[in-house]
Amino acid sequence: MIALKKRLLKPVLAVLAMNTILFSCQTPVKDQPGSKNPGDSVATKKDWWKEAVVYQVYPRSFKDANGDGIGDLKGIISKLDYIKSLGVDVVWLNPIYSSPNDDNGYDISDYRNIMKEFGTMEDFDSLITGMHKRNIKLMMDLVVNHSSDEHEWFKQSRSSRNSPYRNYYHWWNAERGKPPYRYSLFDINHDAWKYDSQTNAYYLHYFSRKQPDLNWENPQVRKEVFDIMKFWADKGIDGFRLDAFQFVAKDTTFPEFPKGFEKNFVKYYAMGPHLHDYLQEMNREILSRYDVMSVAEGAGNSFKDAHDLVDSNRKELNMAYAFDGVDIAKSNGYSLLHFKEVFSRWDSAFQNNGWLSIFLANHDQARLVSRFGNDGPAYRELSSKMLTTFLMTMRGTPYYYNGDELGMMNPGFTKIEEYRDMPTLNEYRHLKNTGGNLKKFLKEIRFSCRDNGRTPFQWDSSTNAGFSTGTPWIGVNPDYKTVNAEAQEKDSNSCLNYFRKTVRLRKDNPAFIYGRYTLLDKDNPNVYAYTREKGPRKFLVLLNFTGKPATVNTGFDLSKAVMILGNYAKPSDGIMLHPYEALVYQIK
Ligand code: NOJ
């Protein structure tokens, strides 16, 4: 194992590592008559959502237009030209609906309204018009495993056992005794059942107490959700990201789970009964009627689960995303051999049938370069560019998180007061109450907490990085004077301009989207080497994942190859790579 990072920190909130790889299945395109190239046989049917690069905007931290310290829709509108300049096709926007913000918008109190802090429905209409004018599509978060406890449905539901909304949620009457234990990811005591004295019953919440789980067995609930989807699809949105969707289907007899299930949340909670029926119904009612892409967070427990979600013959989703890749990075480093094995395995499972997504960071993770690269001054830029090269040259739809194009890194918070993330604060309180090791915890979250990826976007070197004229809801990374978009615009070698180049490279060369992937020099613990090949076009990608020179043996005669991308002004010979070097060759 190469210690890519030497910090001896253990990522705490395994719960937050809910990220994934996705897929969808389409009929493979057969070899063209006369084609002799094996690369053709693995090409899949073309679809816009396979060719898209998705850029994730975290609205709370992107750009604040009204000076209240919180990012908003008008702020995003003011930056649409910037987004366009990246060359990306789709923006995935985290939830912008009305919410009391227990979990930054993942607790929705009105699915048809905009969160006050973010603006109005008029702002939303301008946003989507502005995006479509620039040929950018909009994917919205659909958070329907749970609502907010402040949603009207829940208020009604908890008011009486006879409420017509009672069955919108999961209730367990107290006279039956305590319900079988369920683990809550976000609860201070990790207990997913909360007693409610109003009706002397417990309600279920896999996430926080303010996020009660909806009862998908109730056809009325499904109808409500489809109506909500219709509302937004009619507004012209281009996609749905189904939050925590693998957990919607539950065994509502609530049997006891075998001991130790808490640590295996996905195994025991994901892909419950009727999940595929629900998705097929959703597809029939909504997804098939609009030109929208669909992606589920979570891909179940196996490739079979994943394929079942996205096999086009089953008419469910386009893609799902699994967490195997993103979960690899640990505070004390990770093994590149493991990394290669995971990504190669997922690629081979979907090379002929289905589709996957590629990502290494999002709003539930600390920063890409701090987790998978090296955020020390010598290598922050190089390793960030190397990781970008990886994401843009693999099969699958890339999901790229805002700020990573600048090589933004973890802010290095040292005090609990600097954090905002509800589960992190709950865990801290829990440890405090139970005499846990708070110092160790603070060290751990400095590496792993998702707040690390939520600090304000660094636009320029002015106050608050140009994010807000008010006091930002979460601290700005002190490095913003040097790491910011304005400075990087002016530098042709910046991370930002490198990101643009890699997006262009991908778009110009379908081999990076549909082409065959072949892993080379498999047992090399330092360098990730692979080819992508489609028809007569073949590319070689070399990535040094370490801060030391490293050799690679691909067997190619590079004198016949043309280097088309690299992150060093003076590239190596492609055999002994510079630290964190990325090289892409076209093989003649
Ligand atoms: C997954 C989301 O990505 C995360 O941010 C949220 O806290 C949970 N789902 C609960 O909705």
Side-chain angles (χ1 to χ4, degrees), residues 29-40:
V29 171
K30 294 273 174 332
D31 278 348
Q32 298 300 312
S35 165
K36 293 199 179 65
N37 197 302
D40 287 348

Side-chain angles (χ1 to χ4, degrees), residues 42-284:
V42 298
T44 48
K45 180 179 166 291
K46 290 188 166 201
D47 281 298
W48 66 262
W49 41 267
K50 293 177 181 166
E51 298 176 13
V53 173
V54 179
Y55 181 70
Q56 182 186 353
V57 170
Y58 195 66
R60 206 172 181 78
S61 302
F62 196 60
K63 173 72 186 166
D64 171 22
N66 68 355
D68 66 355
I70 296 171
D72 46 39
L73 300 187
K74 281 206 168 84
I76 302 173
I77 294 169
S78 72
K79 294 296 182 187
L80 285 180
D81 286 338
Y82 170 81
I83 296 175
K84 179 70 191 167
S85 80
L86 300 175
V88 300
D89 311 274
V90 177
V91 164
W92 157 27
L93 204 55
N94 291 97
I96 55 164
Y97 319 97
S98 301
S99 163
N101 275 312
D102 184 51
D103 186 20
N104 286 6
Y106 281 94
D107 48 319
I108 297 168
S109 52
D110 182 350
Y111 288 90
R112 289 186 180 78
N113 259 315
I114 304 295
M115 191 190 298
K116 281 202 187 62
E117 291 154 329
F118 287 175
T120 62
M121 195 55 91
E122 285 70 48
D123 295 338
F124 175 82
D125 292 338
S126 309
L127 176 66
I128 195 165
T129 306
M131 288 175 119
H132 286 167
K133 208 168 87 195
R134 290 169 179 81
N135 219 3
I136 303 169
K137 293 180 189 288
L138 175 61
M139 178 161 78
M140 302 264 285
D141 238 299
L142 181 74
V143 188
V144 288
N145 172 67
H146 44 268
S147 72
S148 163
D149 66 338
E150 297 184 34
H151 193 291
E152 199 47 42
W153 299 334
F154 190 72
K155 288 188 193 161
Q156 296 284 340
S157 183
R158 81 181 337 168
S159 68
S160 150
R161 288 190 182 185
N162 300 322
S163 160
Y165 289 91
R166 186 67 170 179
N167 209 18
Y168 270 43
Y169 297 86
H170 300 281
W171 289 98
W172 181 278
N173 291 340
E175 55 272 21
R176 296 172 68 192
K178 273 203 91 176
Y181 183 70
R182 289 293 179 269
Y183 181 76
S184 161
L185 287 161
F186 291 177
D187 190 74
I188 187 163
N189 300 321
H190 294 299
D191 185 349
W193 290 105
K194 170 88 177 80
Y195 178 71
D196 198 51
S197 58
Q198 219 170 327
T199 55
N200 189 32
Y202 299 84
Y203 67 85
L204 185 74
H205 61 92
Y206 281 175
F207 294 89
S208 88
R209 293 170 187 187
K210 289 187 66 62
Q211 294 169 298
D213 282 44
L214 285 158
N215 177 7
W216 272 70
E217 283 187 3
N218 181 348
Q220 196 56 35
V221 167
R222 303 202 295 276
K223 185 172 178 312
E224 299 265 20
V225 171
F226 303 150
D227 285 351
I228 290 163
M229 293 175 80
K230 185 169 183 323
F231 174 84
W232 291 100
D234 286 341
K235 276 195 162 286
I237 73 162
D238 308 285
F240 293 99
R241 178 251 186 200
L242 278 62
D243 182 72
F245 200 80
Q246 57 183 345
F247 303 119
V248 302
K250 298 164 173 88
D251 179 346
T252 51
T253 63
F254 294 112
E256 296 282 353
F257 284 152
K259 220 164 172 258
F261 72 90
E262 300 91 338
K263 297 269 179 290
N264 216 333
F265 188 76
V266 173
K267 179 166 175 209
Y268 287 99
Y269 288 60
M271 312 295 290
H274 310 304
L275 185 89
H276 295 294
D277 301 336
Y278 302 155
L279 284 173
Q280 283 165 18
E281 192 181 350
M282 179 186 287
N283 188 293
R284 250 187 342 266

